[in-house]
Amino acid sequence: MRAKYLGRSDGALTLVLRKLGSLTLDERKKIGPVAQALKEKLEQLCDAQETQLLGLGGSVVDATLPSLAPETGHLHPVTLVRWQLEDLFTRMGFVIVDGPEVESEWYNFDALNMPSWHPARDMQDTFYTEVQSSKFKVQSDEVAAQRLVLRTQTSPVQIRAMEKYGVPLRCIVPGRVYRNEATDARHENTFWQIEGLMIDRDISLAHLISISKIFLRDLLGERIGIRVRPGYFPFTEPSIEMDITCQLCADQRRSSSRFAGPKSQTRLPKPVTGNGNIHGDKDAQFMYGVFSKDGYGGQVNADVKCPVCKGMGWLEFMGAGLMHPFVLKSGGVDPKKYSGFAFGFGLTRLAMMKYGIGDIRMMMSGNLRFLEQF
Ligand code: PHE
């Protein structure tokens, strides 16, 4: 309406007003005031209409614009990795077992061959509740063994699974665990682990290592390197620790001039045995194999500035071993007939590896700008 009647160049009323000058005085006196009044009236009406359309939000609603896409939810990186592993392990005949996050000291420690005086408990300081539970059996008369704690590991479910399902048994236990930790880029007080168990006749470390290779390659790709070192856990005997090649700086390492391994990834290098040269780790001389398509020997590479592995190329990945006879007995299994392997690793840390996340604190931050990337 404004353009039609009041438009600067060809508005109907504008043209009338422009013509006034060419009229006689009489005509001007007659038409002039009427046209002027009409112009003011029209402007008022247009202004009022415009204010109404602009509404409270101050912008014109354009009903022809496409609507905003609704925000859809998505899975947390830890959940994505957990589901992928659950899928893979289920296909290999493992069942998925759950356990309580508030656990009795018996299941979390004592039943796993870690009585209250055991030094290994120091490494898993946790949050103790004031609740005493008489529901759980205790190893000795100690009252302490009846306290409830936030579980420090998924290992207590080893015992629960044996009690519930008996043997033979193949299961994995994904779950949240808690430790009284000072937090930094690699440590959190709350994180996820996955426990794995395979109990049957004649289960050996060979089963453990091949199952580990299968799931690590499925998750992180064929190029992942695996290193096995001796370790210590009260609930496994022998115990091992498994390291994987750092995925955050893998490309950087490979393109470095100090990189000693093969640049092409076509052949698997021979396992290195008796290598005593692993970043000053005295255990390394006992290391019995490097299963790495990376061809990476484990020396610190000064060219690589990696915040996670500090240029070492290796990351501690999981603890494992053959189940201690005491543990089998705690779960009601005869260690003379059955053997089993157990492993436990940090699922949160694995998700960090997979997605190249440098700081574990991001995982719990609830920061949408971080989470929306997955
Ligand atoms: N529970 C151990 C930990 O949290 C890992 C582990 C699990 C080691 C099973 C051996 C066997 O450190």
Side-chain angles (χ1 to χ4, degrees):
M1 290 294 278
R2 200 194 282 277
K4 189 169 175 189
Y5 295 102
L6 304 171
R8 259 166 202 262
S9 54
D10 58 355
L13 193 56
T14 312
L15 292 178
V16 172
L17 287 166
R18 202 174 291 155
K19 268 194 195 149
L20 283 181
S22 59
L23 301 178
T24 64
L25 193 61
D26 267 2
E27 285 170 326
R28 246 185 281 165
K29 274 189 176 163
K30 242 188 188 171
I31 300 169
V34 179
Q36 195 57 41
L38 189 59
K39 184 186 173 195
E40 275 162 28
K41 184 76 190 162
L42 263 176
E43 266 172 354
Q44 265 176 24
L45 286 171
C46 285
D47 285 351
Q49 200 65 31
E50 226 171 57
T51 320
Q52 201 187 335
L53 283 174
L54 285 170
L56 289 174
S59 65
V60 181
V61 175
D62 183 348
T64 64
L65 278 178
S67 62
L68 293 175
E71 272 187 53
T72 48
H74 56 89
L75 298 170
H76 192 277
V78 169
T79 311
L80 291 171
V81 176
R82 174 161 67 86
W83 282 13
Q84 187 176 343
L85 285 171
E86 286 181 2
D87 198 44
L88 176 76
F89 274 102
T90 318
R91 276 183 275 138
M92 293 195 289
F94 285 70
V95 289
I96 298 160
V97 183
D98 226 0
E101 289 178 19
V102 184
E103 184 57 284
S104 71
E105 264 191 285
W106 162 259
Y107 281 112
N108 196 78
F109 293 125
D110 299 54
L112 293 166
N113 202 21
M114 239 197 269
S116 57
W117 48 264
H118 202 292
R121 277 208 188 189
D122 290 353
M123 289 180 332
Q124 300 195 1
D125 188 21
T126 183
F127 304 95
Y128 289 80
T129 71
E130 286 175 358
V131 180
Q132 307 271 325
S133 172
S134 53
K135 236 169 52 195
F136 299 100
K137 48 181 170 170
V138 288
Q139 194 181 25
S140 64
D141 295 337
E142 283 174 78
V143 180
Q146 295 181 310
R147 277 183 303 180
L148 293 181
V149 302
L150 296 194
R151 68 174 175 195
T152 58
Q153 46 187 356
T154 39
S155 303
V157 190
Q158 289 185 19
I159 311 290
R160 291 180 176 277
M162 283 186 282
E163 286 176 347
K164 186 160 182 192
Y165 300 105
V167 283
L169 178 65
R170 281 182 215 186
C171 67
I172 58 163
V173 185
R176 221 188 319 245
V177 301
Y178 303 86
R179 299 214 184 155
N180 187 5
E181 294 263 18
T183 53
D184 61 26
R186 300 202 307 165
H187 299 92
E188 253 291 9
N189 51 38
T190 306
F191 54 97
W192 282 77
Q193 281 192 335
I194 288 192
E195 192 84 5
L197 274 196
M198 187 165 173
I199 310 175
D200 209 326
R201 304 214 179 232
D202 303 322
I203 295 294
S204 73
L205 281 182
H207 296 104
L208 169 64
I209 290 167
S210 52
I211 294 274
S212 308
K213 278 202 271 186
I214 290 170
F215 80 79
L216 283 168
R217 288 189 177 157
D218 183 78
L219 199 74
L220 299 171
E222 284 293 313
R223 266 155 50 164
I224 186 75
I226 299 168
R227 182 171 80 168
V228 175
R229 291 180 287 119
Y232 173 75
F233 301 97
F235 36 93
T236 44
E237 180 63 43
S239 303
I240 63 165
E241 300 219 20
M242 194 174 282
D243 301 342
I244 55 176
T245 42
C246 180
Q247 298 300 289
L248 275 188
C249 60
D251 293 338
Q252 211 188 333
R253 259 188 354 255
R254 211 168 287 117
S255 58
S256 144
S257 56
R258 290 178 212 234
F259 177 64
K263 299 270 182 209
S264 84
Q265 302 300 321
T266 46
R267 255 192 301 130
L268 192 71
K270 265 197 177 159
V272 181
T273 43
N275 185 344
N277 196 17
I278 310 298
H279 54 84
D281 180 349
K282 61 181 170 20
D283 283 344
Q285 54 202 334
F286 301 115
M287 186 184 78
Y288 79 92
V290 173
F291 306 93
S292 169
K293 284 196 180 179
D294 250 355
Y296 189 71
Q299 286 88 353
V300 175
N301 186 333
D303 288 348
V304 178
K305 302 268 173 286
C306 178
V308 174
C309 72
K310 310 265 187 292
M312 286 196 281
W314 290 104
L315 280 180
E316 253 179 56
F317 168 62
M318 77 175 186
L322 292 183
M323 294 176 73
H324 196 288
F326 180 91
V327 175
L328 289 167
K329 269 191 240 162
S330 298
V333 173
D334 183 355
K336 292 212 176 70
K337 289 193 189 141
Y338 287 94
S339 58
F341 72 66
F343 64 75
F345 61 84
L347 177 57
T348 308
R349 199 177 275 185
L350 190 60
M352 289 169 69
M353 279 288 103
K354 183 165 165 72
Y355 295 110
I357 300 163
D359 194 324
I360 193 169
R361 289 165 293 194
M362 297 304 287
M363 298 297 223
M364 292 269 292
S365 65
N367 181 344
L368 286 182
R369 280 188 302 170
F370 163 71
L371 292 171
E372 274 164 359
Q373 297 170 48
F374 299 95

